[in-house]
Amino acid sequence: MDCGLPVGVFDSGVGGLTVAKEIMSRLPGERILYYGDTARVPYGSKSKETVTEYSRQITKFLISQGVKVVVVACNTASALAVDTMRKEFDLPIIDVVEPGARTAAGVTRNGSIGVIGTEGTIRSGMYNKHIYNISPELNVFGKACPLFVPLVEEGWIYDSVTREVARRYLGEFRGKDVDSLVLGCTHYPLLSNLIRDVVQEVLGGGVTLVNPAVETAKCLKQLLTERGELNSSPEVPEHRFYVSDGAEKFRSFANSILPCNVIETKNVAIKTFE
């Protein structure tokens, strides 16, 4: 396959930009084709069937654009839809759950791991499954934090309301002695500074935050290297961004996060890719 083909990345909204950012940092030669399903965010409260159908539509769109790999930059879609997608589509599909689980299992010192995510991700138990497969004696404590996604989408990253919500959510880990905490939604790294402060306040020091976006970028690099598809061109890659709604709002948000200048974002009616 042509190593110059783009990497497809998708998420329910802006959260997957944290994965795109890490890919840009660690794989500077790769072109990214990003799709944010902003019209249907959030995915976390939706059923497995709905999330799988949305993921299928987006993947068909990405394939129509000639991508060489699809990165599911959404924990909910990774937990609920990836197994089905890998059976249906004949190209590599990378999820964010497995790399994050592997890292959490590797960094814990006392065997107690906390996972925060959407309702769908926590309900699926996929982090627990991956972590227990690595080491059955580890303890995993999950907590759904459904308000974090809309707060991030609204841009309330440093707001006092968001801080109070974080205190309530993270307070439920008191007494569980967790020493590693997985940010089990790609929106959550955008709140990492706030979460780190609240963790220090509520749970004390010594808790390592695990960002699956970083681990996913590493996994992608390893995959492309093994397949001989890593783009090492010195030319500055041209990334493309698509959404299902609110292109200008997305573009503004993306420019506050990414190291590149997002000049244009296009609306695509994803339902046409049934």
Side-chain angles (χ1 to χ4, degrees), residues 7 18 24 37 53 67 75 78 101 110 113 116 125 133 141 147 150 164 218 255 263 265 269:
V7 171
T18 61
M24 291 176 184
D37 196 5
E53 183 57 28
V67 300
N75 280 263
S78 292
N110 65 10
I113 299 170
I116 54 176
N133 283 342
F141 304 96
L147 292 178
E164 179 56 32
K218 293 177 182 177
N255 278 323
I263 299 174
T265 300

Side-chain angles (χ1 to χ4, degrees), residues 114-137:
V115 179
I116 54 176
T118 66
E119 292 173 314
T121 297
I122 299 301
R123 186 171 59 248
S124 75
M126 289 302 291
Y127 271 102
N128 304 55
K129 177 182 176 181
H130 282 296
I131 291 171
Y132 293 150
N133 283 342
I134 296 168
S135 183
E137 65 272 14

Side-chain angles (χ1 to χ4, degrees), residues 12-268:
S12 62
V14 302
L17 292 171
T18 61
V19 178
K21 178 181 178 181
E22 297 300 335
I23 294 173
M24 291 176 184
S25 173
R26 288 167 171 75
L27 294 83
E30 296 297 337
R31 292 191 295 135
I32 293 175
L33 197 159
Y34 184 97
Y35 189 90
D37 196 5
T38 46
R40 303 186 294 199
V41 69
Y43 281 8
S45 58
K46 294 177 173 62
S47 69
K48 175 181 174 68
E49 292 74 21
T50 296
V51 172
T52 299
E53 183 57 28
Y54 290 176
S55 300
R56 182 184 290 114
Q57 291 169 355
I58 297 170
T59 301
K60 287 180 179 179
F61 167 69
L62 295 175
I63 290 174
S64 77
Q65 300 300 303
V67 300
K68 60 185 174 183
V69 59
V70 171
V71 178
V72 184
C74 171
N75 280 263
T76 302
S78 292
L80 302 181
V82 160
D83 286 345
T84 299
M85 292 166 61
R86 285 175 175 153
K87 294 175 183 176
E88 292 187 11
F89 299 109
D90 188 25
L91 84 169
I93 296 176
I94 294 178
D95 70 279
V96 291
V97 172
E98 194 278 332
R102 185 175 60 244
T103 300
V107 301
T108 183
R109 301 176 303 279
N110 65 10
S112 293
I113 299 170
V115 179
I116 54 176
T118 66
E119 292 173 314
T121 297
I122 299 301
R123 186 171 59 248
S124 75
M126 289 302 291
Y127 271 102
N128 304 55
K129 177 182 176 181
H130 282 296
I131 291 171
Y132 293 150
N133 283 342
I134 296 168
S135 183
E137 65 272 14
L138 295 175
N139 296 310
V140 183
F141 304 96
K143 171 59 184 171
C145 305
L147 292 178
F148 279 164
V149 169
L151 287 168
V152 168
E153 293 279 340
E154 192 63 32
W156 293 13
I157 293 175
Y158 303 106
D159 196 272
S160 60
V161 171
T162 308
R163 184 175 293 273
E164 179 56 32
V165 169
R167 287 194 188 99
R168 295 194 181 196
Y169 284 152
L170 297 170
E172 296 199 22
F173 288 109
R174 286 192 183 97
K176 294 181 171 60
D177 201 27
V178 300
D179 70 348
S180 63
L181 181 67
V182 180
L183 304 180
C185 171
T186 48
H187 284 71
Y188 295 1
L190 297 170
L191 298 172
S192 59
N193 290 334
L194 182 148
I195 290 173
R196 186 176 290 107
D197 288 347
V198 174
V199 165
Q200 176 76 24
E201 173 188 333
V202 174
L203 304 178
V207 179
T208 300
L209 299 188
V210 176
N211 181 358
V214 173
E215 309 309 321
T216 301
K218 293 177 182 177
C219 183
L220 173 63
K221 184 174 184 178
Q222 180 180 347
L223 173 74
L224 294 179
T225 300
E226 291 174 350
R227 292 171 62 90
E229 296 175 2
L230 185 68
N231 191 345
S232 56
S233 171
E235 296 182 8
V236 178
E238 293 184 6
H239 308 297
R240 288 184 285 160
F241 299 87
Y242 300 87
V243 294
S244 50
D245 192 29
E248 283 306 306
K249 181 179 179 181
F250 175 92
R251 187 179 68 84
S252 176
F253 199 101
N255 278 323
S256 72
I257 296 170
L258 298 178
C260 66
N261 183 25
V262 181
I263 299 174
E264 182 182 28
T265 300
K266 295 181 179 180
N267 283 316
V268 171

